[in-house]
Amino acid sequence: MARSRTRPGLKTLISLGVILLALVGILGGGKLAGQASWAPKLALDLQGGTEMILAPKVSGGSQINQDQLNQAVEIIRQRVDGSGVSEAEISTQSGRNVVVSLPGTPSAETRQLIQASADMNFRPVLTTGDPAAVPADQQLTADKLPKPTAAPKNASDTNWITADVYKQYEALDCTKPQPESTQRSDPSKPLVTCEAANGTQPAVKYILGPVEVVGTDIAGSSFQLQQGRQGAVTNEWAVNIQFNDAGTQKFKAVTERLNGYYVANQNDPKAQFAIVLDDKVLSAPRTQAVITDGRPQITGNFTQQSAQALSDQLRYGALPISFDIQSEDQISATLGTQQLEMGLLAGAIGLLLVVVYSLFQYRALGFVTIASLVVAGALTYLAIAILGWTENYRLSLAGVAGLIVAIGQTADSFIVYFERIRDELREGRGLVSAVENGWKRAKRTVLASKAVNLLAAVVLYFVAVGNVRGFAFTLGLTAIADLIVVFMFTHPMLQVLARTRFFGEGHRFSGLDPERLGAVPLYRGAGRLREASEAARANLKPKNAAAAREAGRRMTIAERRAAEAQKQSEMTAASGRSGRASKGAGEEN
Amino acid sequence: MSNFFARFGNELYTGKRSYPFVERKKIWLGAAAVLVLVSILIPVFTGGFNLGIEFRGGSEFRVSDTASTDVHRGEQAVDSVAPGNQPRVSNIAPGTMRVQTERLSDTQTLEVKGKLATAYGVAADHVTSSFVGPTWGADVSKQALLGFVIFVALAAVLMALYFRTWKMSLSALTGMFVTMIITAGVYAASGFEVTPSAIIGFLTILSYSLYDTVVVFDKIRENTADITASTRRTFVEEVNLAVNQTLVRSINTMMVAVLPVAAILFIGAGLLGAGTLRDLSLALFVGILIGTAATIFIAAPMYAWLREREPGLRKQAERVEARRSSANAAV
């Protein structure tokens, strides 16, 4: 039989080594690029901080969909960033909840900000101006401040601008980021606010009239490339709004008035109509036409991105989503470190116990378990560190628990395999063929049982809420690492070891001693067995290759009688033993 | 000792030593039925499970590195901020106090944190707080139930496909359900706190229980692959032999699975107190022990029971009997 010159198993071991080195290389590259770190990223429960799980509340009891949830995350992110908290992480979970993780303890204001519902409305512009605050020496003196002469007739009436409002307007500095606030302005009063700088457009300061159309009157919105007069598509992006019936009526009345200002003077700020989200101006287009069908189009200086952003904000920002804090955990950094240390200690003790137990049960073979666990550990560690870099995966306490539990489950596949090898030895096979046959059977079992483990991990990961995810993730990750290790390390390692004297001859400390495994009775005494082993050793030498082939031929009949086709092994004695033993086993049936 | 295990394994393998796991199936299945019934009745009579704060809703504080474990100090601290709140103060680990209260407002939470730090003489950052809304636990349970249903459905299909018989799938799932119910019964009887972490533990047990059964059933399938062609053993005997042959594996598997869990349990309960690690490992610890037993005493016997009345296997059993009696007669 043709066989490769390299010893079986060695090639696979080398490939595994290459994979490990590649992973180290990837991580090392990331580290050099200054993005990755050798240590896995830790979740807040281990590094300290606050984690809040929020459930969205839509007024009217309607269900929230994934798009709306994503938009909600976007809204919260803007608010949290605006409130000056750095390194906040906001994500959705299971398509139902929003998880906000913040370092440290959030102030009561930040908490309220996170929970508050989005508030969108439309106000007419009364006046606009440079974003910077007016220097004190240039501010209007008390006698020059506007003094409303009459009650405002409509929302665009400049009589809304009282002395107080104007002073507020002068003091406002829109060149600085505006603090977020949960205090919403009174919709029936004028509002002094900013439009943030956006790309090349500078920030703008506004005085706005009272609310005329509310966000809930928006039925939908979209964005598209603008169409020219002949219907040809131009290169200008435009945002379309669609109002509901009530909104259409209100908007018609508003545009009639505002378009009047536009016709009189194209540069009159009162022709502008501000879209306000959470008291900040998103956009303030001019009213170039009277919109009677409730389908205005906003144009001007949009890129595809900015058009989409405004369209999304209009569509979802109008939704009055607010949030309930479902659970909130504050972990101090010292406590988090303590938890991690304890978790690692538990893991070390668990590992030690497993090591002691496998050495006790499997003797030298236990070292294969330990080495396999080390390789599995290295694979898992690298995977977690790389995922922390590329996917921002963070290891939580539940994740650590998953890793510890996985020690047992990983060691378990080795037990299934080793017991199979022992079974094969009990049938009387030589170690080399016992390893191959045992593997053939164990492989199936390991794959089937790992499939169950993986299934559980995947199901847990996708449906679970809270810290279950971290646990499920590491459980699934280690199941995969385990499969890689069993296939690419443990089995090839045993293939190599089976050809060593220590294991191949069944040293009494090898854990695979046929005598101890009751294989002896199948032969004619222990003495014969030892002779056979010595013959096997002698035949390993190349000069005896001819004898080995000869012996192999002699055994073909016995082999045919064996239940499974066996791989021809280098050790004639081994195949001889297995032949005889299979015959014995055959009689048993 | 290792020698003993090896010999024990050999004798089990050859059938020289055999435990009647399958032959005595009526006893085991009967005992399991009783245990399941008791497990269901316990929560009914003891007033249900000891639900954690996640299910009740409320605020929780933890004070670590305290010199004093005086419960009264914690009660006073809460009482001074929110009178009449009746906090549950307990010493959950060496130097760690846990204070559970009704839901407090933000300002009250901050105040209580400060008072607790003063009361136990620790720095402010040694007091952590968490708050859980009353719907959170219900949410977790709902999702856990959903996960459970999806997992069971997928696992049933997976096993039926792998073993190519729904009877193995059904037996394995029965073993899993028994494991789950009895583990829940242990929780109810012992008053262990049921937290979301414990529920994750439960879900993990399901996976472990099935995993263990798959390994044993794989051996059963192998042993009974061409049962109809053999008159050496009856189907029931082959199943029993398979269970015996995998017994050492079952014990070893259980040991390596339970050892790390025991380590977490020891560290978690002894040094950290109640929390993710302890709750999870407690459920796993109980569940792994029961799950291993359920494979041996319930899943395998049930499979034999489901199949032994198949006509083909009955005929085979008769042939085995016939051969045996003729062999006896010849002697």
Side-chain angles (χ1 to χ4, degrees), chain A residues 43-58:
Chain A
L44 284 176
D45 60 347
L46 292 179
Q47 71 168 14
T50 303
E51 185 178 270
M52 286 183 247
I53 295 176
L54 307 163
K57 263 194 318 196
V58 185

Side-chain angles (χ1 to χ4, degrees), chain A residues 53 94 96-97 105 108 111 325-332 334-335 338-339 342-343 345-346 349-350 353-354 357 360-363 397-398 401 404-405 407-409 411-413 415-416 419-420 423 426-427 441 444-445 448-453 455-456 459-460 463-468 471 475 516-518 588-589, chain B residues 1-3 5-7 9-10 13-14 62 64-65 106 113 125-126 128-133 135-136 139-140 142-143 146-147 150-151 154-155 158 162 197 200 203-204 207-208 210-211 214-215 218-219 221-222 230 232-233 245 248-249 251-253 255-257 259-261 263-264 266-267 271-272 276-277 280 284:
Chain A
I53 295 176
S94 311
R96 303 144 21 83
N97 293 329
T105 309
R111 290 166 50 105
I325 297 187
Q326 286 213 323
S327 83
E328 180 180 336
D329 254 312
Q330 289 173 9
I331 304 285
S332 73
T334 43
L335 207 72
Q338 201 190 351
Q339 299 249 342
M342 291 302 169
L345 181 62
I349 293 176
L353 289 173
V354 167
Y357 190 81
F360 161 72
Q361 274 289 342
Y362 294 102
R363 310 239 160 161
L397 192 61
I404 301 171
V405 169
I407 298 173
Q409 301 210 334
D412 191 45
S413 18
I415 289 175
V416 171
E419 286 299 330
R420 281 298 195 171
D423 285 356
R426 286 178 179 127
E427 296 277 7
R441 292 164 178 223
R444 238 182 26 199
T445 312
S449 50
K450 280 295 150 191
V452 173
N453 273 353
L455 184 69
V459 171
L460 269 182
V463 300
V465 285
N467 56 6
V468 181
F471 179 77
L475 217 54
R516 218 171 272 272
L517 292 173
E588 215 186 334
N589 281 321
Chain B
M1 194 54 190
S2 161
N3 214 353
F5 257 96
R7 191 162 3 99
N10 301 337
Y13 187 77
T14 54
R62 270 167 203 249
S64 51
D65 289 344
D106 284 345
K113 266 179 93 163
D125 68 348
H126 280 67
T128 65
S129 69
S130 61
F131 144 74
V132 185
T135 55
W136 176 233
D139 227 34
V140 172
K142 208 174 80 190
Q143 286 299 103
L146 180 67
I150 295 174
F151 173 69
L154 290 177
L158 183 79
Y162 179 69
S197 296
I200 310 168
L203 291 175
T204 315
S207 140
Y208 178 84
L210 283 186
Y211 167 91
V214 164
V215 176
D218 218 41
K219 182 69 181 167
R221 181 171 73 156
E222 190 187 309
S230 157
R232 189 174 160 76
R233 292 189 193 90
Q245 285 179 332
V248 170
R249 186 225 60 107
I251 294 170
N252 283 351
T253 301
M255 285 301 287
V256 297
L259 283 176
V261 170
I264 311 178
F266 170 72
I267 295 285
L271 299 169
L272 275 183
T276 306
L277 285 182
L280 196 89
L284 282 174

Side-chain angles (χ1 to χ4, degrees), chain A residues 168-190:
Chain A
Q168 211 186 323
Y169 175 73
E170 283 181 322
L172 183 65
D173 185 357
C174 288
T175 56
K176 292 184 191 146
Q178 294 303 300
E180 289 281 346
S181 155
T182 50
Q183 299 294 313
R184 297 281 173 252
S185 60
D186 186 337
S188 64
K189 291 205 169 118

Side-chain angles (χ1 to χ4, degrees), chain A residues 94-348:
Chain A
S94 311
R96 303 144 21 83
N97 293 329
V98 177
V99 182
V100 180
S101 304
L102 310 163
T105 309
S107 64
E109 263 175 24
T110 307
R111 290 166 50 105
Q112 277 171 13
L113 206 56
I114 289 167
Q115 292 181 75
S117 66
D119 177 44
M120 176 176 275
N121 50 52
F122 294 77
R123 291 170 181 260
V125 174
L126 297 179
T127 187
T128 68
D130 286 340
V134 180
D137 56 335
Q138 290 171 28
Q139 285 179 4
L140 296 182
T141 48
D143 56 316
K144 292 203 176 140
L145 280 170
K147 291 182 198 72
T149 47
K153 287 197 293 290
N154 58 42
S156 296
D157 194 328
T158 43
N159 278 329
W160 286 109
I161 307 175
T162 61
D164 278 350
V165 170
Y166 199 79
K167 269 199 250 177
Q168 211 186 323
Y169 175 73
E170 283 181 322
L172 183 65
D173 185 357
C174 288
T175 56
K176 292 184 191 146
Q178 294 303 300
E180 289 281 346
S181 155
T182 50
Q183 299 294 313
R184 297 281 173 252
S185 60
D186 186 337
S188 64
K189 291 205 169 118
L191 172 69
V192 177
T193 187
C194 300
E195 180 180 348
N198 187 357
T200 54
Q201 286 181 306
V204 187
K205 189 152 68 166
Y206 293 95
I207 301 179
L208 305 175
V211 173
E212 287 202 289
V213 184
V214 289
T216 43
D217 281 339
I218 298 176
S221 103
S222 59
F223 65 103
Q224 63 177 94
L225 278 169
Q226 200 186 333
Q227 291 191 332
R229 283 186 198 286
Q230 273 78 40
V233 175
T234 65
N235 275 330
E236 302 260 300
W237 285 93
V239 177
N240 302 314
I241 307 177
Q242 192 186 329
F243 284 105
N244 62 17
D245 291 346
T248 303
Q249 290 309 311
K250 285 186 245 175
F251 199 67
K252 184 178 161 219
V254 174
T255 50
E256 275 167 359
R257 190 182 72 233
L258 266 57
N259 191 240
Y261 297 120
Y262 181 76
V263 172
N265 171 13
Q266 291 201 357
N267 292 322
D268 188 348
K270 284 199 285 190
Q272 280 178 278
F273 197 60
I275 303 165
V276 185
L277 176 65
D278 290 352
D279 284 353
K280 288 193 181 63
V281 176
L282 292 178
S283 176
R286 272 168 213 287
T287 313
Q288 295 172 344
V290 178
I291 311 290
T292 52
D293 62 353
R295 293 168 176 274
Q297 188 178 53
I298 309 171
T299 57
N301 289 328
F302 282 118
T303 61
Q304 184 182 352
Q305 264 182 329
S306 64
Q308 178 170 9
L310 181 60
S311 166
D312 283 351
Q313 280 171 320
L314 284 166
R315 190 159 17 154
Y316 300 118
L319 268 181
I321 306 173
S322 62
F323 296 90
D324 270 337
I325 297 187
Q326 286 213 323
S327 83
E328 180 180 336
D329 254 312
Q330 289 173 9
I331 304 285
S332 73
T334 43
L335 207 72
T337 317
Q338 201 190 351
Q339 299 249 342
L340 182 62
E341 279 168 5
M342 291 302 169
L344 292 179
L345 181 62

Side-chain angles (χ1 to χ4, degrees), chain B residues 44-65:
Chain B
V44 175
F45 284 107
T46 59
F49 297 91
N50 176 15
L51 295 178
I53 192 172
E54 291 84 353
F55 293 94
R56 304 192 312 268
S59 298
E60 181 178 296
F61 300 86
R62 270 167 203 249
V63 192
S64 51
D65 289 344

Side-chain angles (χ1 to χ4, degrees), chain B residues 19 64 72 84 96 114 122 152 189-190 209 212 233 237 281 292 298 327:
Chain B
Y19 298 99
S64 51
H72 194 61
T96 305
V122 295
V152 168
S190 61
S209 169
D212 189 56
R233 292 189 193 90
E237 287 164 351
S281 54
T292 306
I298 293 152

